[in-house]
Amino acid sequence: LETFFEAVGWVSLILLILIGLGAGYIASMISGGRNRAKYMVIGVLGALMAPLIAGLLGVGLLAAGGVLIVLVLALVGAVVLVGLAKIIFD
C-alpha cells in the first residue's frame, strides 16, 4: 500500500478523494439529497480502491498512462461502487 501512495503521489491522492466525494455528492442529489455523507464516503472508497485493485492485478496502464489514467479509473470505480450502494440503500 505504501508503494501505491509513492507511485500515485499525495496530490493525486487528494484528487482521488475529491473525485470520490464528487461522485457521492452527485449520487445523493439524484437520490433526493438523502444519505449524502454515506454516498460520499462510498464514493471515496470506490475512487481509492479501483486504482489500487488495478495495480495489484498488474495493469500496466497505470504506470504508462500517468495520473490521468489513475483519475479516470478512480472515477469509474467511484461511480460503480456508488451505483451499487444506491441499488442496495434505495
Side-chain angles (χ1 to χ4, degrees):
L1 190 62
E2 183 178 322
T3 56
F4 172 74
F5 289 125
E6 287 176 8
V8 172
W10 289 105
V11 173
S12 297
L13 180 64
I14 292 169
L15 290 173
L16 293 176
I17 292 170
L18 291 174
I19 286 172
L21 289 173
Y25 181 78
I26 291 170
S28 71
M29 296 308 290
I30 292 171
S31 298
R34 297 184 316 248
N35 303 320
R36 181 171 293 147
K38 185 186 315 183
Y39 283 123
M40 291 174 83
V41 168
I42 292 170
V44 169
L45 291 175
L48 292 174
M49 287 175 38
L52 180 63
I53 291 171
L56 292 174
L57 293 175
V59 175
L61 289 175
L62 296 180
V67 176
L68 184 60
I69 297 294
V70 171
L71 295 177
V72 169
L73 189 58
L75 180 62
V76 170
V79 168
V80 167
L81 198 58
V82 167
L84 289 173
K86 184 165 174 25
I87 291 170
I88 293 170
F89 295 127
D90 288 340

